[in-house]
Amino acid sequence: MSLCILFTGCEYVNKFLHKSTTAETASQRPIKVEVLAIESMEQVAGQEYAGTLEESVSTALSFSTPGTVMKVNVAEGDYIKKGTVIATLDNSSANNALDIAKADYKRAKDGYDRVKSVYSGGAVSEVKMVEIETALEKAQSAYNIALKGVEDCTLKAPVDGYVGNLEIKVGQNVLPGVTVMSLMDINNMYATIAVAEDKISQIRIGAKVMVEINTLGTKIQGVVEQKSIKANSVLHTYSVKIALQNKGDVKLMPGMLCRVKFLESMNGQIVLPPECVLLHLDNSKFVWVVDSGKAYMRDVEVGEYLSTGIVINSGLAFGDSVIVKGYQKVSTGREVNE
């Protein structure tokens, strides 16, 4: 009986020690936090918006004459230079019309040259001379129109750009003025966002923003270039466009989703989100910072309160990393993972 009690007691002690060890190990695991690295005078401190990337310029191209498509020389996504032949129409009728107009002009020119040679001698009246000149001018105009008709059977790129929304195929009949493709400039892009009517007055032209494209794993700084003055009649939001430079190996493409974060420049001061500035019992302010992978309290003095955050007058410097999420779980000296 006593032996059974001894074994049972040992088992209880082992379980207790195991639980204590497990709890101690868990307490030593690094806490997952999110930090804001104070890297420059411009800190992410404003509202975030979901947006979409779009090309800065999109040129709709169409034929100016009806006809049947004989050849298409480009594909969607191709980069083409100004003057590149994009597609051609069957120009047999246009060439026939040009041949007729050319013959009529040649005949009119020949008649004009003959009459002019004798006009100076008085053999031809002035009225007759005017008729001959008028006939030549009409023939010249008809020839120019026929020549343009042949040229209109060829669609050329008016500017450099990328081919988008190609909507023609060989054998297809096209009508004048109907868009057959778009030519996009993506060297300069826009991130377009919708801003609520009670926030649009806070957005200023020239404001700097950070645009994050998750699918590319990249962030690009942009500038607010346009904001609409008329709200969407259904959503009551205003369209705001942020200009971006499409540089480097990572190419921004129209239609990609993005997150737009507004930046605040405070002439050397630091602006933090208000939720990460905490109170001591004596109402003094502090934040949690990460130093060498561990969390520490840092007393700070705050300045004015902005719509985008709180100005930090002292206590922090550029290069510090402030914990903005997960600070509720940390303690002084506790290891953290960013």
Side-chain angles (χ1 to χ4, degrees):
M1 177 104 179
S2 59
L3 183 60
C4 180
I5 293 174
L6 179 60
F7 283 143
T8 303
C10 290
E11 183 180 355
Y12 174 78
V13 171
N14 287 335
K15 287 184 178 180
F16 176 78
L17 291 175
H18 176 71
K19 288 182 178 179
S20 299
T21 303
T22 302
E24 184 178 353
T25 301
S27 66
Q28 294 175 351
R29 291 174 183 168
I31 299 295
K32 180 69 174 177
V33 296
E34 183 176 324
V35 302
L36 176 64
I38 304 174
E39 298 174 339
S40 69
M41 292 190 303
E42 293 164 347
Q43 294 300 312
V44 176
Q47 297 290 326
E48 292 188 19
Y49 296 90
T52 306
L53 299 185
E54 62 181 49
E55 66 277 7
S56 60
V57 178
S58 180
T59 305
L61 302 183
S62 62
F63 285 97
S64 57
T65 186
T68 302
V69 178
M70 295 296 292
K71 192 173 183 180
V72 179
N73 300 321
V74 299
E76 285 194 17
D78 287 350
Y79 179 76
I80 58 177
K81 303 289 287 184
K82 178 180 179 180
T84 299
V85 175
I86 297 169
T88 55
L89 301 179
D90 181 0
N91 61 2
S92 55
S93 296
N95 279 327
N96 290 336
L98 179 61
D99 290 341
I100 294 173
K102 187 175 181 180
D104 290 342
Y105 171 74
K106 185 177 180 180
R107 183 168 56 252
K109 183 67 168 57
D110 182 65
Y112 172 80
D113 291 339
R114 291 175 180 272
V115 172
K116 186 179 180 180
S117 64
V118 296
Y119 171 71
S120 58
V124 178
S125 67
E126 185 174 351
V127 174
K128 184 64 175 179
M129 189 62 196
V130 171
E131 290 179 359
I132 296 297
E133 289 177 343
T134 302
L136 178 61
E137 291 174 357
K138 288 182 177 179
Q140 178 71 65
S141 297
Y143 175 75
N144 291 340
I145 293 173
L147 183 62
K148 188 177 185 304
V150 173
E151 294 173 349
D152 287 345
C153 290
T154 301
L155 182 64
K156 296 182 179 181
V159 293
D160 299 349
Y162 287 85
V163 177
N165 300 325
L166 187 63
E167 299 176 0
I168 54 171
K169 297 179 181 179
V170 173
Q172 179 180 342
N173 291 323
V174 297
L175 296 175
V178 176
T179 300
V180 296
M181 64 160 284
S182 60
L183 195 57
M184 302 181 298
D185 175 13
I186 65 171
N187 291 322
N188 300 291
M189 299 280 290
Y190 283 129
T192 302
I193 59 175
V195 178
E197 56 186 4
D198 61 338
K199 298 290 185 182
I200 190 64
S201 61
Q202 301 175 14
I203 307 298
R204 64 178 181 83
I205 302 296
K208 294 181 179 180
V209 301
M210 186 64 69
V211 180
E212 182 176 356
I213 305 96
N214 289 331
T215 54
L216 299 178
T218 187
K219 295 180 181 180
I220 300 176
Q221 184 169 300
V223 177
V224 175
E225 189 170 287
Q226 300 177 25
K227 67 175 184 177
S228 62
I229 60 173
K230 183 177 180 181
N232 182 291
S233 58
V234 177
L235 302 176
H236 298 286
T237 57
Y238 292 80
S239 175
V240 174
K241 292 188 175 184
I242 295 98
L244 304 172
Q245 292 291 318
N246 201 357
K247 297 180 179 179
D249 296 331
V250 179
K251 279 294 184 182
L252 309 180
M253 300 298 289
M256 286 182 174
L257 300 179
C258 63
R259 297 289 300 177
V260 174
K261 301 178 182 180
F262 279 79
L263 304 176
E264 185 73 46
S265 177
M266 292 300 297
N267 298 322
Q269 291 179 308
I270 296 167
V271 180
L272 292 180
E275 62 270 17
C276 69
V277 180
L278 308 173
L279 289 175
H280 285 298
L281 292 178
D282 61 358
N283 287 330
S284 61
K285 311 292 193 302
F286 74 95
V287 296
W288 286 100
V289 298
V290 176
D291 187 5
S292 300
K294 296 182 179 181
Y296 296 97
M297 283 186 183
R298 180 77 62 80
D299 291 335
V300 296
E301 292 184 5
V302 302
E304 60 181 319
Y305 287 71
L306 307 175
S307 62
T308 53
I310 302 176
V311 177
I312 305 299
N313 286 340
S314 64
L316 292 174
F318 298 118
D320 289 336
S321 295
V322 179
I323 300 176
V324 293
K325 288 185 180 179
Y327 50 79
Q328 301 91 339
K329 302 177 183 179
V330 302
S331 57
T332 299
R334 183 65 185 272
E335 290 188 2
V336 295
N337 279 337
E338 300 178 18

